[in-house]
PDB file of all heavy atoms in Angstrom:
ATOM      1  N   THR A 272     -13.748  10.125  16.891  1.00 88.00           N
ATOM      2  CA  THR A 272     -12.411   9.841  17.469  1.00 88.00           C
ATOM      3  C   THR A 272     -12.474   8.869  18.641  1.00 88.00           C
ATOM      4  O   THR A 272     -11.424   8.469  19.157  1.00 88.00           O
ATOM      5  CB  THR A 272     -11.700  11.136  17.926  1.00 88.00           C
ATOM      6  OG1 THR A 272     -12.339  11.662  19.091  1.00 88.00           O
ATOM      7  CG2 THR A 272     -11.688  12.182  16.817  1.00 88.00           C
ATOM      8  N   ARG A 273     -13.661   8.449  19.069  1.00 90.00           N
ATOM      9  CA  ARG A 273     -13.730   7.450  20.133  1.00 90.00           C
ATOM     10  C   ARG A 273     -13.428   6.060  19.567  1.00 90.00           C
ATOM     11  O   ARG A 273     -13.701   5.792  18.399  1.00 90.00           O
ATOM     12  CB  ARG A 273     -15.120   7.434  20.786  1.00 90.00           C
ATOM     13  CG  ARG A 273     -15.427   8.662  21.638  1.00 90.00           C
ATOM     14  CD  ARG A 273     -16.812   8.541  22.233  1.00 90.00           C
ATOM     15  NE  ARG A 273     -17.165   9.693  23.042  1.00 90.00           N
ATOM     16  CZ  ARG A 273     -16.932   9.795  24.350  1.00 90.00           C
ATOM     17  NH1 ARG A 273     -16.366   8.771  24.986  1.00 90.00           N
ATOM     18  NH2 ARG A 273     -17.266  10.879  25.020  1.00 90.00           N
ATOM     19  N   PRO A 274     -12.910   5.151  20.385  1.00 89.00           N
ATOM     20  CA  PRO A 274     -12.726   3.770  19.920  1.00 89.00           C
ATOM     21  C   PRO A 274     -14.065   3.133  19.554  1.00 89.00           C
ATOM     22  O   PRO A 274     -15.082   3.395  20.210  1.00 89.00           O
ATOM     23  CB  PRO A 274     -12.071   3.071  21.122  1.00 89.00           C
ATOM     24  CG  PRO A 274     -11.480   4.180  21.939  1.00 89.00           C
ATOM     25  CD  PRO A 274     -12.379   5.363  21.738  1.00 89.00           C
ATOM     26  N   LEU A 275     -14.061   2.295  18.528  1.00 87.00           N
ATOM     27  CA  LEU A 275     -15.305   1.690  18.062  1.00 87.00           C
ATOM     28  C   LEU A 275     -15.974   0.874  19.160  1.00 87.00           C
ATOM     29  O   LEU A 275     -17.200   0.900  19.301  1.00 87.00           O
ATOM     30  CB  LEU A 275     -15.022   0.802  16.844  1.00 87.00           C
ATOM     31  CG  LEU A 275     -16.230   0.068  16.261  1.00 87.00           C
ATOM     32  CD1 LEU A 275     -17.239   1.060  15.714  1.00 87.00           C
ATOM     33  CD2 LEU A 275     -15.796  -0.914  15.192  1.00 87.00           C
ATOM     34  N   GLU A 276     -15.178   0.142  19.964  1.00 86.00           N
ATOM     35  CA  GLU A 276     -15.782  -0.723  20.979  1.00 86.00           C
ATOM     36  C   GLU A 276     -16.496   0.068  22.066  1.00 86.00           C
ATOM     37  O   GLU A 276     -17.311  -0.489  22.807  1.00 86.00           O
ATOM     38  CB  GLU A 276     -14.725  -1.636  21.605  1.00 86.00           C
ATOM     39  CG  GLU A 276     -13.530  -0.914  22.192  1.00 86.00           C
ATOM     40  CD  GLU A 276     -12.412  -0.767  21.178  1.00 86.00           C
ATOM     41  OE1 GLU A 276     -12.692  -0.881  19.968  1.00 86.00           O
ATOM     42  OE2 GLU A 276     -11.275  -0.527  21.597  1.00 86.00           O
ATOM     43  N   THR A 277     -16.205   1.371  22.170  1.00 88.00           N
ATOM     44  CA  THR A 277     -16.919   2.202  23.144  1.00 88.00           C
ATOM     45  C   THR A 277     -18.343   2.488  22.687  1.00 88.00           C
ATOM     46  O   THR A 277     -19.277   2.534  23.500  1.00 88.00           O
ATOM     47  CB  THR A 277     -16.162   3.523  23.364  1.00 88.00           C
ATOM     48  OG1 THR A 277     -14.834   3.234  23.807  1.00 88.00           O
ATOM     49  CG2 THR A 277     -16.867   4.400  24.390  1.00 88.00           C
ATOM     50  N   VAL A 278     -18.525   2.682  21.396  1.00 89.00           N
ATOM     51  CA  VAL A 278     -19.833   3.032  20.832  1.00 89.00           C
ATOM     52  C   VAL A 278     -20.567   1.792  20.340  1.00 89.00           C
ATOM     53  O   VAL A 278     -21.772   1.642  20.550  1.00 89.00           O
ATOM     54  CB  VAL A 278     -19.650   4.048  19.688  1.00 89.00           C
ATOM     55  CG1 VAL A 278     -20.988   4.368  19.032  1.00 89.00           C
ATOM     56  CG2 VAL A 278     -18.981   5.314  20.200  1.00 89.00           C
ATOM     57  N   PHE A 279     -19.849   0.889  19.688  1.00 87.00           N
ATOM     58  CA  PHE A 279     -20.438  -0.299  19.084  1.00 87.00           C
ATOM     59  C   PHE A 279     -20.115  -1.496  19.986  1.00 87.00           C
ATOM     60  O   PHE A 279     -19.175  -2.250  19.756  1.00 87.00           O
ATOM     61  CB  PHE A 279     -19.875  -0.490  17.672  1.00 87.00           C
ATOM     62  CG  PHE A 279     -20.526  -1.589  16.895  1.00 87.00           C
ATOM     63  CD1 PHE A 279     -21.826  -1.468  16.430  1.00 87.00           C
ATOM     64  CD2 PHE A 279     -19.839  -2.753  16.608  1.00 87.00           C
ATOM     65  CE1 PHE A 279     -22.418  -2.484  15.706  1.00 87.00           C
ATOM     66  CE2 PHE A 279     -20.418  -3.764  15.870  1.00 87.00           C
ATOM     67  CZ  PHE A 279     -21.715  -3.632  15.424  1.00 87.00           C
ATOM     68  N   ARG A 280     -20.928  -1.650  21.056  1.00 88.00           N
ATOM     69  CA  ARG A 280     -20.705  -2.735  22.011  1.00 88.00           C
ATOM     70  C   ARG A 280     -21.598  -3.910  21.637  1.00 88.00           C
ATOM     71  O   ARG A 280     -22.829  -3.795  21.648  1.00 88.00           O
ATOM     72  CB  ARG A 280     -21.014  -2.263  23.433  1.00 88.00           C
ATOM     73  CG  ARG A 280     -20.069  -1.166  23.940  1.00 88.00           C
ATOM     74  CD  ARG A 280     -20.361  -0.854  25.397  1.00 88.00           C
ATOM     75  NE  ARG A 280     -21.730  -0.373  25.582  1.00 88.00           N
ATOM     76  CZ  ARG A 280     -22.430  -0.532  26.684  1.00 88.00           C
ATOM     77  NH1 ARG A 280     -21.913  -1.181  27.719  1.00 88.00           N
ATOM     78  NH2 ARG A 280     -23.662  -0.042  26.777  1.00 88.00           N
ATOM     79  N   ILE A 281     -20.986  -5.034  21.306  1.00 87.00           N
ATOM     80  CA  ILE A 281     -21.745  -6.197  20.850  1.00 87.00           C
ATOM     81  C   ILE A 281     -21.364  -7.409  21.695  1.00 87.00           C
ATOM     82  O   ILE A 281     -20.206  -7.567  22.098  1.00 87.00           O
ATOM     83  CB  ILE A 281     -21.492  -6.494  19.350  1.00 87.00           C
ATOM     84  CG1 ILE A 281     -19.994  -6.537  19.043  1.00 87.00           C
ATOM     85  CG2 ILE A 281     -22.153  -5.440  18.483  1.00 87.00           C
ATOM     86  CD1 ILE A 281     -19.675  -6.907  17.606  1.00 87.00           C
ATOM     87  N   VAL A 282     -22.367  -8.246  21.955  1.00 88.00           N
ATOM     88  CA  VAL A 282     -22.156  -9.475  22.727  1.00 88.00           C
ATOM     89  C   VAL A 282     -22.906 -10.601  22.024  1.00 88.00           C
ATOM     90  O   VAL A 282     -23.811 -10.372  21.202  1.00 88.00           O
ATOM     91  CB  VAL A 282     -22.659  -9.331  24.180  1.00 88.00           C
ATOM     92  CG1 VAL A 282     -21.870  -8.258  24.916  1.00 88.00           C
ATOM     93  CG2 VAL A 282     -24.158  -9.016  24.207  1.00 88.00           C
ATOM     94  N   ASP A 283     -22.524 -11.831  22.344  1.00 82.00           N
ATOM     95  CA  ASP A 283     -23.228 -12.993  21.831  1.00 82.00           C
ATOM     96  C   ASP A 283     -24.572 -13.102  22.545  1.00 82.00           C
ATOM     97  O   ASP A 283     -24.644 -13.010  23.770  1.00 82.00           O
ATOM     98  CB  ASP A 283     -22.391 -14.255  22.053  1.00 82.00           C
ATOM     99  CG  ASP A 283     -23.010 -15.461  21.388  1.00 82.00           C
ATOM    100  OD1 ASP A 283     -23.919 -16.064  21.993  1.00 82.00           O
ATOM    101  OD2 ASP A 283     -22.593 -15.807  20.266  1.00 82.00           O
ATOM    102  N   GLU A 284     -25.630 -13.276  21.767  1.00 78.00           N
ATOM    103  CA  GLU A 284     -26.971 -13.267  22.366  1.00 78.00           C
ATOM    104  C   GLU A 284     -27.210 -14.452  23.293  1.00 78.00           C
ATOM    105  O   GLU A 284     -28.098 -14.402  24.149  1.00 78.00           O
ATOM    106  CB  GLU A 284     -28.030 -13.260  21.263  1.00 78.00           C
ATOM    107  CG  GLU A 284     -28.056 -14.514  20.413  1.00 78.00           C
ATOM    108  CD  GLU A 284     -29.227 -14.497  19.440  1.00 78.00           C
ATOM    109  OE1 GLU A 284     -30.371 -14.551  19.922  1.00 78.00           O
ATOM    110  OE2 GLU A 284     -28.989 -14.430  18.229  1.00 78.00           O
ATOM    111  N   HIS A 285     -26.424 -15.534  23.160  1.00 74.00           N
ATOM    112  CA  HIS A 285     -26.622 -16.714  24.000  1.00 74.00           C
ATOM    113  C   HIS A 285     -25.684 -16.704  25.198  1.00 74.00           C
ATOM    114  O   HIS A 285     -26.123 -16.893  26.329  1.00 74.00           O
ATOM    115  CB  HIS A 285     -26.400 -17.990  23.193  1.00 74.00           C
ATOM    116  CG  HIS A 285     -27.254 -18.056  21.958  1.00 74.00           C
ATOM    117  ND1 HIS A 285     -28.619 -18.002  21.999  1.00 74.00           N
ATOM    118  CD2 HIS A 285     -26.906 -18.149  20.631  1.00 74.00           C
ATOM    119  CE1 HIS A 285     -29.100 -18.066  20.758  1.00 74.00           C
ATOM    120  NE2 HIS A 285     -28.076 -18.148  19.914  1.00 74.00           N
ATOM    121  N   THR A 286     -24.395 -16.473  24.959  1.00 79.00           N
ATOM    122  CA  THR A 286     -23.411 -16.541  26.043  1.00 79.00           C
ATOM    123  C   THR A 286     -23.218 -15.217  26.758  1.00 79.00           C
ATOM    124  O   THR A 286     -22.631 -15.193  27.841  1.00 79.00           O
ATOM    125  CB  THR A 286     -22.050 -16.991  25.484  1.00 79.00           C
ATOM    126  OG1 THR A 286     -21.564 -16.000  24.566  1.00 79.00           O
ATOM    127  CG2 THR A 286     -22.195 -18.314  24.747  1.00 79.00           C
ATOM    128  N   ARG A 287     -23.653 -14.120  26.144  1.00 80.00           N
ATOM    129  CA  ARG A 287     -23.475 -12.765  26.685  1.00 80.00           C
ATOM    130  C   ARG A 287     -22.005 -12.375  26.764  1.00 80.00           C
ATOM    131  O   ARG A 287     -21.658 -11.403  27.434  1.00 80.00           O
ATOM    132  CB  ARG A 287     -24.113 -12.623  28.067  1.00 80.00           C
ATOM    133  CG  ARG A 287     -25.538 -13.102  28.185  1.00 80.00           C
ATOM    134  CD  ARG A 287     -26.458 -12.250  27.364  1.00 80.00           C
ATOM    135  NE  ARG A 287     -26.502 -10.875  27.819  1.00 80.00           N
ATOM    136  CZ  ARG A 287     -27.323  -9.954  27.313  1.00 80.00           C
ATOM    137  NH1 ARG A 287     -28.162 -10.292  26.315  1.00 80.00           N
ATOM    138  NH2 ARG A 287     -27.311  -8.720  27.759  1.00 80.00           N
ATOM    139  N   GLU A 288     -21.143 -13.113  26.079  1.00 84.00           N
ATOM    140  CA  GLU A 288     -19.725 -12.781  26.043  1.00 84.00           C
ATOM    141  C   GLU A 288     -19.473 -11.713  24.975  1.00 84.00           C
ATOM    142  O   GLU A 288     -20.100 -11.740  23.910  1.00 84.00           O
ATOM    143  CB  GLU A 288     -18.886 -14.018  25.733  1.00 84.00           C
ATOM    144  CG  GLU A 288     -18.905 -15.069  26.835  1.00 84.00           C
ATOM    145  CD  GLU A 288     -18.217 -14.580  28.093  1.00 84.00           C
ATOM    146  OE1 GLU A 288     -17.276 -13.766  27.981  1.00 84.00           O
ATOM    147  OE2 GLU A 288     -18.627 -15.003  29.191  1.00 84.00           O
ATOM    148  N   PRO A 289     -18.558 -10.762  25.246  1.00 86.00           N
ATOM    149  CA  PRO A 289     -18.254  -9.754  24.227  1.00 86.00           C
ATOM    150  C   PRO A 289     -17.707 -10.395  22.947  1.00 86.00           C
ATOM    151  O   PRO A 289     -16.966 -11.384  22.996  1.00 86.00           O
ATOM    152  CB  PRO A 289     -17.180  -8.879  24.904  1.00 86.00           C
ATOM    153  CG  PRO A 289     -17.366  -9.109  26.368  1.00 86.00           C
ATOM    154  CD  PRO A 289     -17.834 -10.523  26.506  1.00 86.00           C
TER     155      PRO A 289
END
Side-chain angles (χ1 to χ4, degrees):
T272 71
R273 289 180 181 270
L275 178 64
E276 55 268 19
T277 302
V278 177
F279 187 71
R280 295 185 299 151
I281 50 177
V282 297
D283 187 277
E284 65 174 294
H285 305 301
T286 64
R287 310 294 297 185
E288 293 293 329

